[in-house]
Amino acid sequence: MTPEESPFTLRHLEEPEIQFEGGTETSPKRGLIRYGPRLYEEGHHTIKLGIIGDRDSIRRLTELLHDMEVGIHPGTSDQPWQVPYPGLGKSSPLNLSINAKKGWRRQIRRRDIQSVTSKSTPRDRMERFLKLVRKDIEIIERDSVQPNAIIVCIPQEVMDACTPENQDHARIQSEGSDLRNRIKLIGMEARIPTQLIKPSTLAIRTDRQRASRAWNLTVGLLYKSQRGHPWKTRQIEDGHCYAGLSFYRERDEGDDVIRAALAHVFHGRDHIILQSDPLPNITEDENGSPHLSYEAAKQVGEQILEYYEAQKGTRPSRFVLHKPSVFWEEEREGLLDATDGVRDLDLVWVRRRPKIRLFPPTDYPAMRGTLLSVPDDDVHYLYTSGYVPEETTYQGSGVPSPIEIRPDEICETPSLEICKEILFFTKLDWNTSDYAIRMPATVSVAKRVGTILSEVDTESISEVRPQYFYYM
């Protein structure tokens, strides 16, 4: 078969640039060093930081914060992907400081840990630890000057006690409840974003690990402390509204209630989180993926556009919805009616694990930005992870695989432009300093939010907050 006869097309998409305080770059770390973060106040920014943890974790975290002040070099080699951490202070290109005063520290004492481990079941131990965390956050909250964010260090004994047998520590869950999600909700109730740290995060053995921890901690805390993103994309046009959709079940004493978690992005705003009302007549397909009824789809579309109109004073000219499952006819009809008056409607199915991979004839995996398309079917496979030439490495584990992108029949924008937009949305998650994330932030953020809002004590919160920094 000649290239002209092939049903596939293969191209490489240009790496999107992101906007910092003084210029653009493709790499978050290099951009922060070269141009500095976008700050929402003039001059120097200080992150006011609260800390909750046992004696050992507070000591280790304090050591890391001290190293962050003076700077950390990840090694002796000059590899592009080993970006040194430049340090903090007014002379740092980051233009940041961290103030973790003792009045914002709460130590989990030995007797507190024993009160957790003495409970008979993992769920009871989790509930006891959450009660301790809630009390400490409330004490910090009552300070005359509140911190911008609170780090909660999970003691190893608490992790062991709260993790059921035959379950690893990747996520601390018991009877359907997740420790991380519950702490996020406690922080939301106090109106103070939280950052969780596990013992493995503070078990630092090399300067490379130390620099990586410092970068990720800085980016996350900066976003949470100033309530705004440290970089943005240049490619969101005014009048364009993007949203990602994910479903979750709200657990209560009665029947499960399905809601939608919506990650909302438009010009001048970063991730805004919307929680739908209970959705009527949800149907699951053979893979367990929920699908909206006409009424539910119309409700979701109207809610997104009502928020946009309240913020911008007008309806968008273009509305793009990313969804992790195929669109059914009822969903199309509901969204079409909800978006009456919007010039362009783009419905896009974005799937995480397609059954296809590319194997280049080199020692390196496929490059990030590689796009394999099947034009006749309008199906596209985009490598959002992979070898990055400017960093001369692939930093993932295993062989990278693409994500699958299927523009729906209701999609006005050319497919190539849709794929380019999805690539730049992989650079808009301020929960990491990595070069990019795998899924577009519209979808990944909505999914993360849904897992938190599904928790059992969601109803105990007086108001579910829409800002992403409470969930990350």
Side-chain angles (χ1 to χ4, degrees):
M1 179 182 296
T2 66
E4 292 76 15
E5 296 172 324
S6 173
F8 305 102
T9 62
L10 189 65
R11 57 168 59 90
H12 184 263
L13 303 185
E14 183 179 355
E15 186 63 43
E17 290 189 329
I18 44 182
Q19 180 78 48
F20 297 88
E21 185 67 22
T24 61
E25 245 285 2
T26 57
S27 162
K29 293 175 185 175
R30 289 197 300 272
L32 289 169
I33 288 178
R34 183 173 298 177
Y35 300 113
R38 299 178 69 249
L39 298 179
Y40 290 73
E41 58 185 297
E42 290 189 9
H44 189 71
H45 177 69
T46 298
I47 299 171
K48 298 188 286 290
L49 183 62
I51 300 174
I52 298 172
D54 62 350
R55 184 181 68 171
D56 184 60
S57 59
I58 290 177
R59 174 184 61 80
R60 289 171 180 258
L61 177 58
T62 303
E63 290 173 354
L64 176 59
L65 294 175
H66 177 267
D67 291 340
M68 289 168 61
E69 290 182 4
V70 299
I72 306 165
H73 198 288
T76 57
S77 63
D78 192 25
Q79 298 294 339
W81 52 273
Q82 289 187 341
V83 181
Y85 184 80
L88 300 171
K90 293 185 178 180
S91 61
S92 166
L94 299 180
N95 202 17
L96 301 172
S97 295
I98 294 179
N99 177 11
K101 73 173 188 177
K102 291 186 178 180
W104 295 328
R105 296 183 191 178
R106 299 292 302 170
Q107 183 174 325
I108 302 171
R109 304 191 180 278
R110 171 56 50 184
R111 67 173 67 93
D112 297 325
I113 294 176
Q114 290 176 343
S115 74
V116 172
T117 58
S118 64
K119 298 297 181 181
S120 58
T121 67
R123 182 58 181 270
D124 289 340
R125 296 167 199 149
M126 181 187 296
E127 296 298 332
R128 173 58 183 163
F129 181 70
L130 289 167
K131 185 175 181 180
L132 293 172
V133 170
R134 183 184 294 275
K135 180 181 177 181
D136 284 340
I137 289 179
E138 289 173 350
I139 292 172
I140 294 173
E141 180 190 11
R142 290 197 293 267
D143 194 278
S144 57
V145 178
Q146 292 183 359
N148 309 123
I150 297 175
I151 289 180
V152 180
C153 302
I154 312 296
Q156 185 65 57
E157 289 179 74
V158 171
M159 289 191 64
D160 294 338
C162 295
T163 305
E165 292 184 14
N166 302 321
Q167 181 176 309
D168 61 29
H169 285 146
R171 301 187 69 179
I172 309 173
Q173 296 177 322
S174 181
E175 298 179 25
S177 189
D178 184 284
L179 182 65
R180 176 191 180 276
N181 296 343
R182 298 282 297 281
I183 292 176
K184 292 294 176 183
L185 291 172
I186 293 172
M188 185 189 302
E189 193 171 5
R191 302 295 185 261
I192 304 177
T194 56
Q195 179 93 20
L196 270 66
I197 291 184
K198 296 179 181 179
S200 57
T201 303
L202 296 175
I204 301 171
R205 297 178 177 84
T206 67
D207 285 340
R208 179 181 170 185
Q209 287 181 336
R210 192 173 300 275
S212 176
R213 304 289 196 274
W215 273 116
N216 287 336
L217 196 60
T218 298
V219 170
L221 290 178
L222 174 59
Y223 181 50
K224 293 171 184 179
S225 68
Q226 69 169 1
R227 308 300 201 257
H229 45 263
W231 63 79
K232 66 176 182 178
T233 178
R234 302 172 62 194
Q235 295 171 284
I236 296 181
E237 295 184 25
D238 200 13
H240 290 196
C241 173
Y242 300 85
L245 175 64
S246 182
F247 300 99
Y248 67 94
R249 283 182 168 81
E250 184 180 74
R251 294 186 286 270
D252 55 25
E253 295 180 358
D255 295 334
D256 285 350
V257 173
I258 295 181
R259 294 180 185 261
L262 308 163
H264 197 182
V265 185
F266 52 87
H267 183 74
R269 289 278 183 166
D270 49 31
H271 303 314
I272 301 298
I273 308 307
L274 302 177
Q275 178 193 36
S276 76
D277 294 328
L279 298 173
N281 304 322
I282 299 296
T283 303
E284 292 186 351
D285 61 24
E286 64 274 10
N287 298 316
S289 298
H291 291 269
L292 299 168
S293 63
Y294 166 84
E295 295 83 2
K298 188 170 185 289
Q299 173 184 316
V300 165
E302 288 174 344
Q303 184 178 1
I304 296 171
L305 294 176
E306 283 171 4
Y307 185 87
Y308 181 97
E309 191 167 357
Q311 298 297 311
K312 305 288 282 186
T314 184
R315 283 210 153 190
S317 58
R318 179 178 175 228
F319 176 45
V320 184
L321 181 62
H322 297 155
K323 182 171 173 279
S325 60
V326 67
F327 288 86
W328 284 4
E329 187 59 34
E330 282 188 292
E331 294 174 305
R332 296 188 188 101
E333 292 175 359
L335 289 165
L336 278 168
D337 285 351
T339 56
D340 184 41
V342 175
R343 185 189 65 201
D344 295 327
L345 173 62
D346 294 327
L347 306 181
V348 186
W349 173 24
V350 185
R351 188 166 65 150
R352 184 179 181 87
R353 293 187 176 91
K355 296 179 179 179
I356 188 170
R357 286 184 180 178
L358 293 177
F359 295 92
T362 68
D363 293 335
Y364 300 106
M367 280 197 297
R368 170 177 154 85
T370 299
L371 179 65
L372 177 71
S373 299
V374 188
D376 290 346
D377 296 329
D378 203 9
V379 178
H380 310 271
Y381 302 96
L382 175 62
Y383 275 84
T384 55
S385 60
Y387 178 74
V388 178
E390 66 180 302
E391 298 205 330
T392 67
T393 189
Y394 162 57
Q395 296 202 52
S397 58
V399 179
S401 61
I403 63 174
E404 183 176 336
I405 302 168
R406 289 179 179 254
D408 188 72
E409 62 185 64
I410 306 297
C411 188
E412 304 293 340
T413 302
S415 298
L416 182 59
E417 294 304 311
I418 293 290
C419 294
K420 289 179 179 179
E421 289 179 337
I422 286 175
L423 188 66
F424 79 67
F425 272 119
T426 64
K427 300 185 88 81
L428 288 188
D429 189 344
W430 303 283
N431 200 32
T432 177
S433 64
D434 289 347
Y435 193 81
I437 57 176
R438 183 155 185 255
M439 292 293 285
T442 45
V443 174
S444 63
V445 168
K447 182 178 180 180
R448 184 178 300 151
V449 169
T451 63
I452 292 175
L453 293 181
S454 68
E455 281 298 337
V456 292
D457 65 347
T458 303
E459 291 300 324
S460 69
I461 297 178
S462 57
E463 182 182 359
V464 173
R465 305 297 293 175
Q467 294 86 3
Y468 175 49
F469 48 73
Y470 286 114
Y471 302 84
M472 57 180 274

